[in-house]
Amino acid sequence: DHKLGVIASCILGMDSHRKDYHKRLIKSLRKSKADFPRIFLMTAWPGTRLFENLEKEDRASRDWDRVRKDIPSVQYKHYTHEEIIEAREEVIHAFSSVVHISKVVFRWLFKDRSIIRLFIYLAFRNMVLERSKRFRGRKFKSGATGRKPLLHPATQASGREGRARRLPITHP
């Protein structure tokens, strides 16, 4: 009624999330009429309390090239890496179906047409990015993932892509 589009950002894989949490999340997002959910995985960023706690439990990764919010980088309490990826994809697919996109477009058609273009762009971009991530993240027989290793931005800027260096974490 207030002409606001709802982009719901959610974190999946917290210690309190049981294996069926993603199914309850889908129901909750539908009930709240979220137009576009963004689903991230619990990530232990260096220098945070979460990282320190998970490191004490030997569940955090120090492989800084793999610490990202869209791929598993910690050991989850109730999910394996494969299960958390499948759970994330299930939530994303529940909101990127033609039926859901049609409902959102129809709802906004009568409220504010300017948001329709943004929503279609976000939905399309999300579907394309998810498909490309699945392709790039596949493991090949050699064990390589088929994508360049992620480097710290300072390493990329220095042009030394041969080897990533560990940079100190500074707190503001």
Side-chain angles (χ1 to χ4, degrees):
D1 295 351
H2 298 286
K3 294 186 177 181
L4 293 172
V6 178
I7 298 175
S9 293
C10 307
I11 297 174
L12 189 60
M14 305 294 284
D15 284 354
S16 61
H17 297 175
R18 303 279 181 210
K19 290 205 188 244
D20 67 337
Y21 176 80
H22 64 284
K23 294 179 189 298
R24 290 184 292 139
L25 179 62
I26 291 170
K27 288 178 186 174
S28 177
L29 290 170
R30 283 191 175 140
K31 185 178 179 182
S32 67
K33 294 185 180 174
D35 297 312
F36 186 80
R38 300 182 66 208
I39 309 300
F40 302 106
L41 301 177
M42 180 180 74
T43 305
W45 298 103
T48 63
R49 212 173 320 162
L50 177 63
F51 179 82
E52 292 168 6
N53 292 340
L54 291 180
E55 191 174 43
K56 287 176 189 172
E57 298 173 19
D58 200 29
R59 294 173 45 204
S61 173
R62 282 201 165 266
D63 183 359
W64 308 132
D65 293 340
R66 297 207 182 272
V67 176
R68 293 178 28 194
K69 61 188 178 209
D70 59 342
I71 60 171
S73 59
V74 299
Q75 293 298 318
Y76 300 97
K77 200 171 217 175
H78 302 289
Y79 289 93
T80 65
H81 282 196
E82 292 78 21
E83 289 170 339
I84 197 86
I85 290 169
E86 288 174 15
R88 180 176 184 266
E89 286 181 1
E90 189 174 328
V91 177
I92 289 170
H93 290 301
F95 292 90
S96 61
S97 70
V98 174
V99 172
H100 176 75
I101 293 170
S102 300
K103 284 180 183 178
V104 172
V105 168
F106 187 72
R107 183 169 63 232
W108 283 102
L109 191 61
F110 298 108
K111 286 185 180 181
D112 184 357
R113 292 183 181 179
S114 66
I115 202 164
I116 292 173
R117 203 156 101 202
L118 172 66
F119 174 74
I120 291 173
Y121 167 75
L122 289 173
F124 178 75
R125 185 190 74 163
N126 197 42
M127 285 188 287
V128 169
L129 287 176
E130 286 305 312
R131 285 193 177 110
S132 69
K133 280 182 201 169
R134 274 186 256 139
F135 174 75
R136 287 182 306 186
R138 284 192 187 133
K139 291 207 174 201
F140 298 100
K141 288 181 182 175
S142 67
T145 60
R147 61 185 154 109
K148 287 175 117 178
L150 300 172
L151 301 176
H152 190 282
T155 306
Q156 289 177 336
S158 71
R160 297 183 329 177
E161 294 190 31
R163 139 187 168 168
R165 68 180 197 250
R166 186 172 291 160
L167 298 175
I169 304 296
T170 56
H171 297 285

